[in-house]
Amino acid sequence: MSRPADACPPLPASGARRAALVDAAVLAAVWAAFAALVGVGGDFPLNDDWSYAAAVRGLVEQHTFRPTDWTSMPLFVHALWGALFCAPFGCSHEALRVSTLAAAFVGLLAARALALELGANRAQARFAALLLAANPLWLPLSCTFMTDVPFTAQATLALWLFARAVRRGERSAAVLGTIVAVVATLNRQLGLFVAVGWAAGLFRARAGSLRTAVAVAAPLVACAAALV
């Protein structure tokens, strides 16, 4: 599918990469300043993340995944992500909060990319990411080990990939979007609705063939199968 007429013309590849690197550096500096102002010190849980931290500790120290009865979501990917940050120096709530801050930064980059894909210019896309960074829910939750921010980052990344697949006809983007949607679903069940959004958007854009029907259903089937 061709790019909409009202979208900004794309930059040359080298210019787009340079712009992405500059914007990433700006977002990284702002996000680091925000994190420093809030602070991540203190080996204590915040909100419900004591339960999620227990699952990470089991992975790192006992190599088993056993969430507590308090946990109501799949949590699998969230625990694996936290374990990556705890494995080098042992489990601590500080390390887990750093893992969420890192996931949040990925979410900011994904928000910028999604805005660009939907026709925003570079300044607008950068502003969208900065607006997300300053959101009064996003910022404090990024300094916990709650699942909200990592899941949103994963869902936004999947939406960007799916948007590329629909608007540019990139099959690889559809495959990667499906993988990221599965990752999001293995974090929180709401990831299923990312696949539902893909199905609704693609069906509206390209309804009418068996091939489209398979493409519409595949991400939702993959997410549901992973959840089961």
Side-chain angles (χ1 to χ4, degrees):
M1 179 172 287
S2 61
R3 194 176 183 89
D6 61 346
C8 295
L11 292 172
S14 58
R17 284 194 294 269
R18 191 178 304 112
L21 289 173
V22 170
D23 285 356
V26 170
L27 290 173
V30 171
W31 193 235
F34 281 1
L37 285 172
V38 175
V40 296
D43 193 14
F44 50 82
L46 294 166
N47 210 327
D48 292 340
D49 63 4
W50 63 268
S51 173
Y52 314 147
V56 174
R57 190 176 298 277
L59 273 178
V60 174
E61 297 178 355
Q62 302 170 11
H63 309 296
T64 58
F65 178 60
R66 295 181 179 176
T68 69
D69 291 340
W70 185 265
T71 302
S72 59
M73 71 282 293
L75 197 73
F76 185 63
V77 168
H78 193 61
L80 283 177
W81 180 253
L84 288 176
F85 287 78
C86 288
F89 306 108
C91 286
S92 69
H93 289 284
E94 290 100 329
L96 293 176
R97 285 196 281 274
V98 169
S99 78
T100 309
L101 285 166
F105 178 64
V106 173
L108 299 181
L109 297 180
R112 173 192 177 275
L114 179 59
L116 286 173
E117 188 60 42
L118 296 180
N121 61 38
R122 181 185 169 195
Q124 291 169 336
R126 187 171 55 234
F127 179 74
L130 290 171
L131 196 63
L132 177 60
N135 183 281
L137 291 177
W138 182 269
L139 180 57
L141 284 171
S142 294
C143 298
T144 72
F145 189 56
M146 298 292 284
T147 60
D148 307 75
V149 166
F151 169 77
T152 304
Q154 293 152 8
T156 305
L157 185 58
L159 288 172
W160 168 58
L161 290 165
F162 283 149
R164 284 182 68 94
V166 172
R167 293 163 64 89
R168 306 188 190 195
E170 294 183 2
R171 185 175 300 177
S172 59
V175 173
L176 289 173
T178 300
I179 293 171
V180 178
V182 168
V183 168
T185 304
L186 290 177
N187 190 351
R188 297 179 66 134
Q189 298 93 325
L190 286 173
L192 287 169
F193 289 95
V194 177
V196 170
W198 155 264
L202 186 64
F203 183 78
R204 181 176 181 273
R206 304 178 188 171
S209 70
L210 178 60
R211 184 176 180 180
T212 296
V214 172
V216 163
L220 185 56
V221 170
C223 289
L227 185 59
V228 171

